[in-house]
Amino acid sequence: MSKIFALAGVVIKELYRRKDFYVLFVLTALLTLGAGMVNFFHDDKIVRYVKDICLLLIWVSALVISVVTTARQIPAEREARTIFPLLAKPVSRAQVIAGKFLGCWLATGVALIVFYFFFAIVTGSKEHFWPWAAYLEAVWMHWVMLGVVIAMVLLGSIYFAAPSSTSTITIIVVGGILLLGTHLKIIALQQPEPMQFILTLFYFVMPHLEWYDLRDFVVYDMGLVPVGAVLLATVYAAAWTSIFLLLAWFGFRRKSLTT
Amino acid sequence: MTAILQTQKLRVEYRSRDFRQGNKVALNGLDLEVRAGEVFGFLGPNGAGKTTTMNVLLGFVPPSSGAASLFGIDVRQPIARQRIGYLPELTYYYKFLTAEELLRFYAKIFGLTHAETDKRIAELLKLVELEHAAKRPIKSYSKGMQQRVGLAQSLINNPDLLILDEPTSGLDPLGRMKVREIIQRLKEQGKTVFFSSHELGEVEAICDRVAILHQGDLKAVGTVAEVSAGSNNLEQSFLKIVGYQPSSVS
């Protein structure tokens, strides 16, 4: 396990020594500060509207950070040939995949905490209301969902040499799931066969990332999601993460590094 | 003496990108044995199969057939690499890390304790004369400094076997001297060194035994004196073995 943590440590160091995170944080911070200022109008609906925009921005920023950071991990190791001195050490390819995943996931978690904390402080200071439990639940579900996305990107990065290809494909897939996931079954029912069967099948086999979006709970103060549901969602995400990581390891294990 | 590096009928074939051509044979049934405590030179012209052999030994490439082992353990097991150090021909390190961070990272991979790690890092930075730059990112280093970091990382676990891929290629005379001194010092400590090189004079000076590979086949193996028998020196013997015909320039 110490090898996996060592690998994760390098990923985290790389992230905070690059500028991506800081640029996205400054952009999100500026817009979140904007959210704090709208309360001058004492209009709850406007506050909610801007909170919604800020959370959307946090979702977009977190998705970009996690996808871009993860997509370059394995290709960059291969391109810079740092993979050779690394694999010449007593470390397996499975440990490399696990270390990369853990590093990206932890780094994304840190970014999420910073984003949500800033959001909570700014909006709470204007509303004088801090639903910390709801925020924690929202952060946890968001982070767990990003675990699935990171594992998916790692899998893609084994097969696509260019990080830009992996990033684009993943953002389209994740965006598609988040936007259409809930409606897919309804859309399927409106289709003739065999499209209805195909879409229904797709609905049941795809990872339902949209379940992890608790923005409405935060924006409209809808209270907490039952703990049992959060636990089930966590297990569901862990299962999908494991499947993607296993497939990534299987691909990486067979990957020739010298061509 | 015990063989700590061994290959048996090792064969590596690469699939040709052009399906009309057959597979390319990079290694053709290589039988090699490197014994504990010796400095072993691995020679051959470009494309002979030296790097392929090293790639198999380091687990980068699976053999098509045959076997390779380090310390009696199949090279496909990561644990086979616990007691080795590897220095690639060029510097391939995380440029955003400092030399100290890089060495600490690799020490963790080898499972060294904190105390051992601190001691080894201090010793190695002194050995490669990088104490003054230990906390600077590697990206700010000169080429020579980066190569010295490479040497330090290859020794972090105090390896019993050091695998060096053309260790002096691209180094200035001082750097070459340093590498030779280190190889000598490791030999005196009873360590085994397996290295590929095109510098035949250097090989002649420091190797106990050499092997010459040509087009994937092992052409000669033995002490420098045995391989050079019938020729004036190792270079002439090498050229004869690989079938070099001096061409006349008109």
Side-chain angles (χ1 to χ4, degrees), chain A residues 3 6-7 10 13-14 17 77 80-82 84-93 258-259, chain B residues 17 55 58-61 78 81-82 84 86 92-94 96-97 101 105-106 108-110 153:
Chain A
K3 291 175 188 178
L7 283 155
V10 170
K13 276 196 183 89
E14 187 199 3
R17 284 178 190 173
E77 288 266 10
R81 303 176 76 84
T82 47
F84 295 112
L86 175 62
L87 287 179
K89 311 278 185 290
V91 63
S92 66
R93 294 190 189 198
T258 54
T259 49
Chain B
R17 287 190 181 176
N55 285 343
L58 295 164
F60 305 155
V61 169
R81 301 187 283 279
Q82 182 67 34
I84 70 160
Y86 166 61
Y92 310 130
Y93 307 106
Y94 304 99
F96 54 90
L97 294 181
E101 286 170 340
F105 166 57
Y106 286 141
K108 275 187 198 160
I109 298 282
F110 279 109
Q153 68 79 29

